Amino acid sequence: MQEQPTGAQVEAAVEAFRMLSDATRLRLMWLLTTGEFDVGSLAAAVGAARPSVSQHLAKLRLAGLVQTRRDGRRVLYRARDAHVRALIGEALYHADHEVSGIPRHD
């Protein structure tokens, strides 16, 4: 039998899911699993205003889901690590089964 997660682990997971429960943030995270982007590129890709995207990115960063690096005057964002990328991918693969009728598998 697998050991139960600690309270801190559960709270961290709940916070991550809370951040991903917003459609714009989930779209941003999907993009960030594929590479690095600046705010302007992300805003154009998701069809949202730059200030709104900046606020979403700040929340995702505080939640530990994204990281940044400077490239001259630009700040580039990306998914923090392989765990975050896998989480986003699995959530969207699950959603694909829900909406497309693709048979489930284990």
Side-chain angles (χ1 to χ4, degrees), residues 13-51:
V14 166
E15 181 60 21
F17 285 122
R18 185 178 293 122
M19 287 295 107
L20 298 173
S21 68
D22 178 272
T24 299
R25 286 195 290 266
L26 186 56
R27 283 185 169 91
L28 290 169
M29 287 304 305
W30 180 81
L31 288 167
L32 295 172
T33 64
T34 66
E36 293 182 315
F37 297 88
D38 63 19
V39 174
S41 299
L42 290 167
V46 299
R50 286 176 63 111

Side-chain angles (χ1 to χ4, degrees), residues 17-100:
F17 285 122
R18 185 178 293 122
M19 287 295 107
L20 298 173
S21 68
D22 178 272
T24 299
R25 286 195 290 266
L26 186 56
R27 283 185 169 91
L28 290 169
M29 287 304 305
W30 180 81
L31 288 167
L32 295 172
T33 64
T34 66
E36 293 182 315
F37 297 88
D38 63 19
V39 174
S41 299
L42 290 167
V46 299
R50 286 176 63 111
S52 174
V53 169
S54 290
Q55 289 177 354
H56 285 300
L57 290 168
K59 289 177 182 180
L60 291 167
R61 187 174 179 199
L62 284 173
L65 298 172
V66 300
Q67 66 183 42
T68 62
R69 77 173 178 88
R70 282 213 168 273
D71 180 29
R73 293 175 48 182
R74 294 185 321 151
V75 176
L76 298 173
Y77 293 82
R78 66 179 174 160
R80 183 171 191 133
D81 56 32
H83 294 291
V84 172
R85 289 188 298 274
L87 177 64
I88 301 304
E90 289 300 322
L92 292 171
Y93 296 144
H94 168 74
D96 191 29
H97 284 278
E98 288 293 314
V99 300
S100 69

